[in-house]
Amino acid sequence: MNRTGATRPLRAAESQPDETAIKPFRRLWLALTLSSLGHWLSVPALIAVVGALTRDDDLPVQAQAIAGVLVLMVLPALLLGPPAVLLAGRLDRRITMVAVDGVRFALVVSVPLVDAVPWTLAVAFLVAFGTLLWFPVAAAVLPAVAGGEPEEGYEEARRSLLRGGYGSAPVAALLFVALALVGDAAFGVADRADLAVFAAAVVFLAAAATTFTARALSTATAGAAAGLGALSAPLKLLFQGQRRSGRTQPDGPPVAGAGAQAGGAHAAVSPASGPVRGLVLAGTVVALTAVAVFAVARLHARDLGGGDAGYGSILAGLTIGAAFGLFLGPRMLAPLSRRRLIGLAVIAAALALVPVALVQNLVVVVFLAAFLGLACGVAWAVGTRSAQDTARSFAYLRALALVTGLVAVAAVPPLAGLIGAHRLSLGGAVYDLGGPAAALLVVAVLALPAALVAFRRLDDRRGIPLLADVAAALRGYAYTPPELEESGPAVVRDRGVFIAFEGGEGAGKTTQARLAAIWLRDHGYDVVSTQEPGATKIGMRLRAMLLDQETTGLSARAETLLYAADRADHVANVIRPALERGAIVVSDRYVDSSLAYQGFGREQDVSSIARVNAWAIGGLLPDLTVLLEVPPETGLGRLASPADRIESEPHEFHERVREGFRALADADPDRYLIVDAGRPQAEITREIQYRIREILPDPIPAGTEDVTSTFPAIKDA
Ligand code: TYD
């Protein structure tokens, strides 16, 4: 309800520049997409080749050959990122791109001609190294071909490149299925795989031709390769612990991780807090489950009676599912807590492994793989966004996924070979459990507990029933515990407005509440400025007890009840009377402080505290709650006076309080304004004023904050 017609501030620019309209950019996009398609097609093609070459060997030998190809295709990204960036920075951009794909064409073509496992492995490594060179070069060219766009345009162009690069994976899988079907019909067992290999070679050639004919790319020298936030040393990043990224990259797995500046622009943050550990575990489960299926797909498909086409179908299911998950994840079940969604998605992924392993029908397995991919995609997309929220580095998660992926490709196929096929007889019925299926079950046994712990660590709505939460989200609204909704006679107000300011220590809410009250008074409103705890006579005595450092041994429940008592008195004697006479009440803290501090901070059951407080306040909730968000370390650093009893709590306590506030606000976005309190004060004040304006009983024309004296007083304060 913005009756003032004022434009909302701080809204991201709504029109994105259409980067594909720029011709050299379109060339670059096409070349990169083709080059990636070649890469993604080479993976199953080379695996099919080693599969064909080892077809007369035992399962362990076949499994090792497959693991070999996959390990060699992951290793470059893990070990050779920095040298690739350096090398790419020294070479002419266009020549590099042409040469990389030209050489890859020749390498891939040579595979069927040489027809030997060691050479195929060497080619796998070199093809992947080529991809590693390609991306930094493309990213270096980008600022120039995006036409010196403003930041927004560059970002959008970068994302579009990433979409092309990763989006070509499902296309490659489908192409592989088609080629395998033709191969099965037209060639003998030994040569079937060659068709896909030749196709990959042709795609590389097309990529080389695309860059060769794009002369604009060679003059494009803007941006040093090393400055791209390009591929970094993931291992180094992992060993150094988690780092805060200056520029996080929320959309999908980027090629250009933020870790290139690992030695410089990043400030180390503690990886210790529960939600961060939860996120780390969730990332591990995503990489482990998805990569395990990817790695044994060929052996598993064969057990299920499928050939290379069956193998390709599992890959297609997995990658198409993942693409949908990455796209839909952030939009999925919008009213549900994002953290709960990540937890649920990783549990779903781990659980899906069980039927993927046990169901003996290839078509069903393809759909199950798609479901698993979807769950992984959702968890990844939402998790990396939340990594950005908590200022934890995206690059860390990416590095973690790479290492987990490497372990999975190195271990799961050999495990399948080691376990081998078993015939189980269960009460007369016979069940054939193949080695790959058994290996997937082992992964499920590892992944499921990890997923459950991740869910628990991430859960920011503890005490709120999961089913009710999900059911409400499915119907499109956020679940509020009934205790907070019902109970007590809600006030009937015709004119009053109730605004609460909330936030952790030193977030600046007292200042902002005061400024808002002044601004409202200037506009002629009857404003009552108040705060918790201690707005009434009794409240002052309670406040003294609650905040005095001398108060020792106060139990968490007693503390909760004392805050609730203060609040009950506050509502009865200050807030309710003011609202009934039509005033605007601005309160520095209200019920959310108890949910955040006594609930999340003290790790008590949030719904019980909500119930007690609902009774204390008679169901009176603010019309708007302004949440000022600041990291505890910053907020506590701002405090001038000696710390009181609550402020002296350890860092983790304040971290939980912050997460708690955030969860409450995320669950009810219409009633909250979340403000990043790290920005300049005047900017914050303005943002708050815009939002308050929307709920005021009488219109205030935009811009009048400068000419307040011309406004008629509605009532003297
Ligand atoms: P106060 O001196 O009013 O400072 P602040 O500017 O942080 O509001 O201190 C209030 C303290 O009481 C603060 O540390 C938060 C805590 N508190 C709770 O723990 N639960 C509550 O319900 C309320 C209202 C406050």
Side-chain angles (χ1 to χ4, degrees):
M1 179 174 65
N2 184 354
R3 292 186 228 156
T4 64
T7 44
R8 287 268 203 108
L10 304 166
R11 200 156 258 171
E14 251 136 46
S15 61
Q16 301 284 1
D18 178 13
E19 80 288 344
T20 47
I22 306 159
K23 214 164 171 244
F25 176 81
R26 228 189 279 168
R27 264 308 164 86
L28 179 66
W29 185 89
L30 181 64
L32 181 128
T33 303
L34 281 173
S35 180
S36 307
L37 182 66
H39 173 105
W40 291 120
L41 189 55
S42 308
V43 181
L46 295 177
I47 283 185
V49 168
V50 295
L53 287 170
T54 56
R55 66 186 179 282
D56 297 327
D57 293 308
D58 295 340
L59 180 63
V61 177
Q62 295 178 19
Q64 269 161 22
I66 289 175
V69 172
L70 288 171
V71 166
L72 288 167
M73 292 199 88
V74 179
L75 265 187
L78 205 58
L79 300 179
L80 297 176
V85 169
L86 275 183
L87 190 61
R90 298 230 159 83
L91 306 169
D92 177 281
R93 319 271 189 241
R94 187 172 65 112
I95 307 275
T96 310
M97 294 188 268
V98 174
V100 163
D101 285 333
V103 170
R104 290 202 286 188
F105 161 75
L107 285 169
V108 172
V109 161
S110 75
V111 166
L113 306 178
V114 177
D115 219 19
V117 173
W119 179 240
T120 313
L121 294 179
V123 170
F125 179 82
L126 292 169
V127 164
F129 184 66
T131 305
L132 202 63
L133 279 177
W134 221 111
F135 277 100
V137 173
V141 172
L142 187 58
V145 297
E149 292 285 329
E151 189 78 341
E152 279 288 322
Y154 173 79
E155 256 322 285
E156 183 48 32
R158 198 184 66 81
R159 270 193 223 131
S160 157
L161 281 188
L162 286 174
R163 275 196 293 271
Y166 284 86
S168 55
V171 178
L174 289 172
L175 190 58
F176 180 77
V177 173
L179 293 166
L181 287 173
V182 175
D184 284 353
F187 301 104
V189 199
D191 304 321
R192 271 175 197 168
D194 298 354
L195 196 59
V197 174
F198 286 128
V202 169
V203 175
F204 281 132
L205 195 61
T210 309
T211 27
F212 183 72
T213 51
R215 302 216 170 269
L217 297 183
S218 75
T219 51
T221 50
L228 304 168
L231 292 159
S232 64
L235 284 179
K236 189 167 147 207
L237 203 59
L238 279 185
F239 286 126
Q240 283 172 340
Q242 297 176 76
R243 299 184 156 267
R244 187 192 301 258
S245 161
R247 188 162 160 191
T248 35
Q249 299 162 26
D251 273 351
V255 187
Q261 309 98 355
H266 301 250
V269 293
S270 139
S273 89
V276 178
R277 283 206 219 116
L279 215 50
V280 166
L281 262 180
T284 314
V285 173
V286 166
L288 187 64
T289 52
V291 175
V293 174
F294 198 96
V296 297
R298 183 166 195 275
L299 298 172
H300 194 42
R302 211 190 39 190
D303 280 355
L304 299 176
D308 280 339
Y311 164 44
S313 304
I314 296 181
L315 296 191
L318 195 65
T319 47
I320 292 171
F324 271 102
L326 288 170
F327 176 73
L328 293 176
R331 299 163 182 79
M332 194 175 263
L333 291 179
L336 187 69
S337 140
R338 299 294 83 189
R339 296 260 184 83
R340 280 198 154 179
L341 181 61
I342 302 168
L344 284 177
V346 289
I347 291 176
L351 280 176
L353 272 179
V354 178
V356 166
L358 293 181
V359 172
Q360 298 200 319
N361 177 311
L362 186 58
V363 177
V364 177
V365 167
V366 168
F367 280 99
L368 287 166
F371 175 79
L372 190 145
L374 180 84
C376 288
V378 168
W380 185 260
V382 181
T384 47
R385 271 175 198 231
S386 120
Q388 184 193 33
D389 273 2
T390 51
R392 298 311 200 258
S393 164
F394 176 83
Y396 182 84
L397 278 181
R398 181 182 168 276
L400 182 82
L402 258 180
V403 173
T404 313
L406 181 75
V407 172
V409 292
V412 181
L415 184 66
L418 200 68
I419 302 178
H422 292 276
R423 172 155 290 191
L424 313 173
S425 53
L426 307 160
V430 177
Y431 182 88
D432 285 315
L433 183 71
L440 288 178
L441 285 181
V442 172
V443 175
V445 167
L446 294 175
L448 195 56
L452 290 170
V453 175
F455 178 85
R456 169 119 192 103
R457 289 239 162 101
L458 285 167
D459 192 4
D460 50 7
R461 300 206 358 124
R462 272 184 214 178
I464 294 175
L466 179 63
L467 277 182
D469 217 14
V470 174
L474 281 172
R475 274 176 269 134
Y477 60 89
Y479 176 77
T480 321
E483 308 82 53
L484 262 189
E485 274 182 342
E486 50 183 53
S487 82
V491 264
V492 183
R493 323 186 295 265
D494 31 33
R495 284 178 299 156
V497 175
F498 181 15
I499 303 165
F501 280 73
E502 298 277 13
E505 310 297 333
K509 63 189 162 33
T510 308
T511 310
Q512 290 298 343
R514 197 167 45 80
L515 289 172
I518 293 171
W519 176 71
L520 286 164
R521 273 192 200 109
D522 278 350
H523 285 79
Y525 288 99
D526 174 12
V527 181
V528 173
S529 267
T530 180
Q531 84 281 339
E532 288 192 3
T536 62
K537 260 193 178 163
I538 294 288
M540 302 263 271
R541 295 168 73 175
L542 292 169
R543 178 184 171 92
M545 279 192 258
L546 280 164
L547 298 183
D548 195 341
Q549 285 276 27
E550 307 277 293
T551 307
T552 50
L554 180 62
S555 76
R557 287 187 188 214
E559 181 186 276
T560 307
L561 291 170
L562 289 177
Y563 275 114
D566 168 73
R567 186 161 300 124
D569 206 42
H570 188 201
V571 168
N573 292 316
V574 179
I575 303 178
R576 202 181 286 264
L579 291 174
E580 276 167 0
R581 73 165 198 261
I584 297 180
V585 175
V586 176
S587 181
D588 180 356
R589 296 199 184 278
Y590 191 57
V591 64
D592 286 354
S593 280
S594 277
L595 300 177
Y597 280 85
Q598 278 67 51
F600 290 89
R602 298 256 183 254
E603 298 187 283
Q604 300 191 87
D605 180 30
V606 177
S607 62
S608 304
I609 295 174
R611 216 173 305 127
V612 167
N613 273 276
W615 185 73
I617 61 179
L620 174 64
L621 290 178
D623 299 292
L624 170 67
T625 299
V626 177
L627 173 61
L628 290 146
E629 264 237 314
V630 72
E633 51 274 20
T634 315
L636 288 166
R638 286 179 184 170
L639 299 179
S641 50
D644 62 33
R645 206 176 57 87
I646 304 273
E647 285 157 10
S648 321
E649 289 294 333
H651 180 268
E652 299 79 61
F653 173 90
H654 293 288
E655 188 60 59
R656 285 196 298 274
V657 169
R658 181 191 182 196
E659 313 276 359
F661 274 129
R662 183 71 200 214
L664 293 167
D666 282 346
D668 194 0
D670 290 343
R671 227 165 39 76
Y672 285 83
L673 170 69
I674 304 177
V675 183
D676 171 3
R679 292 175 304 135
Q681 200 187 75
E683 222 175 85
I684 299 173
T685 307
R686 215 171 317 124
E687 187 180 355
I688 295 173
Q689 288 173 354
Y690 272 111
R691 183 67 176 83
I692 290 181
R693 220 194 245 127
E694 294 178 2
I695 57 163
L696 289 178
D698 283 301
I700 300 181
T704 49
E705 50 267 39
D706 305 327
V707 285
T708 50
S709 55
T710 62
F711 238 70
I714 294 170
K715 195 164 190 176
D716 279 332

